[in-house]
């Protein structure tokens, strides 16, 4: 079987075979090979420290969030991120981590609070303006252009391309070609930095999960990024490529001065990679809604018993009415607190409605 967890291999496996870049690089009985040897086979070199420790750099604040609120998803979130540091944002599902990222990146506007970047307020600024300022982000699920090559995916992210204006192709074709050559060269350099030159002309949709994560990281390198928001860079990535992703994050931080803010559920990775960790936790909204629904059902059932109409059909009708009343209550809350319809469905424990 295929496994991405070394502990699992040692617990249930008899023999292990390690593949790297489409070739067999090692095979042995599990009892005869150490964890460090497996890692060396996977990454092609010995690792003395998987997550070397680093000291935080003093200096002015790069990012500041002040009392951010967004309905019931985020309430009163405040934190600072210093330049050239790696900061983790952790918490259980539904704690508001991605919503916080969305407010910082301009995808959502906070109902209250402010965001500052390099001393300038950027609250509610659109994403394209923030991109020009040097704020970029990735997503938990890779958003590659599947029908374009890895090289083309990087070239799309190149900033200040006059060819994006159809009239410039007629007015200044020389400037368009010159900038396109520069973007092409930078994309090739980025693929080399990431160790992805062997997939330069491969369709991005055919890449592995780890390669797609590296490609997304490469898109942040196509501009002069100052702050990179990474949403679960380790999600769906095997340990071999995860070590490579971590290595790239560290190199970008140390060699190019990138500041990273990372959402991550892997506590070991977060504790070892990040210099500071911000913890979010909030389940009040779900609890309040659940209690409201329970009280509604009890009240209507008691009323039905009092009038002597507790039959099988009556109980069914009471249940339906209680559910509809709870749903209406949730919609009212969504209007008052600006909760999305999707969140209303999630509060009810129902699957989200299909997007149209």
């Amino acid at each position: 079987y295929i496994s991405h967890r070394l502990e699992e291999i040692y617990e249930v496996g008899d023999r292990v075979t390690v593949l790297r870049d489409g070739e067999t690089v090692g095979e042995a009985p599990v009892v005869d090979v150490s964890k460090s040897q497996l890692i060396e086979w996977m990454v092609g070199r010995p690792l003395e420290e998987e997550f070397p420790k680093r000291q935080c750099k003093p200096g002015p604040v790069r990012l500041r969030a002040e009392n951010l609120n967004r309905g019931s998803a985020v309430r009163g979130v405040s934190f600072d991120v210093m330049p050239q540091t790696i900061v983790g944002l952790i918490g259980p599902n539904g704690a508001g981590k991605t919503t916080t990222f969305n407010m910082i990146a301009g995808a959502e506007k906070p109902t209250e609070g402010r965001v500052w970047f390099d001393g300038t307020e950027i609250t509610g600024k659109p994403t394209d303006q923030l991109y020009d300022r040097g704020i970029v982000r990735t997503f938990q699920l890779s958003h590659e252009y599947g029908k374009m090559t890895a090289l083309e995916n990087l070239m799309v992210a190149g900033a200040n391309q006059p060819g994006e204006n159809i009239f410039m192709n007629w007015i200044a074709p020389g400037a368009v070609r010159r900038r396109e050559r520069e973007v092409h060269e930078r994309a090739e350099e980025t693929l080399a930095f990431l160790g992805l030159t062997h997939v330069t002309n491969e369709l991005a949709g055919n890449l592995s999960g780890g390669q797609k994560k590296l490609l997304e990281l490469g898109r942040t390198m196509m501009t002069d990024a100052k702050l990179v928001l990474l949403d679960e860079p380790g999600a769906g990535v095997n340990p071999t490529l995860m070590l490579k992703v971590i290595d790239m994050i560290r190199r970008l931080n140390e060699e190019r001065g990138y500041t990273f803010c990372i959402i991550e559920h892997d506590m070991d990775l977060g504790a070892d990679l990040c210099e500071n960790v911000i913890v979010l936790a909030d389940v009040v909204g779900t609890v309040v809604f659940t209690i409201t629904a329970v009280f509604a059902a009890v009240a209507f059932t008691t009323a039905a018993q009092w009038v002597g109409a507790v039959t099988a059909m009556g109980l069914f009708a009471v249940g339906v009415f209680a559910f509809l009343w709870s749903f209406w209550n949730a919609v009212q809350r969504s209007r008052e607190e600006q909760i999305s319809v999707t969140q209303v469905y999630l509060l009810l424990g129902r699957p989200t409605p299909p997007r149209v």
Side-chain angles (χ1 to χ4, degrees), residues 198-217:
H198 60 293
V199 297
T200 297
N201 297 313
E202 182 67 56
L203 294 180
N206 296 336
L207 302 182
S208 68
Q211 290 171 333
K212 290 178 180 179
K213 291 287 186 178
L214 286 171
L215 192 64
E216 281 212 327
L217 194 59

Side-chain angles (χ1 to χ4, degrees), residues 67-78:
N67 193 36
L68 290 182
N69 288 267
R70 175 74 181 180
S72 64
V74 175
R75 286 180 285 180
V77 171
S78 299

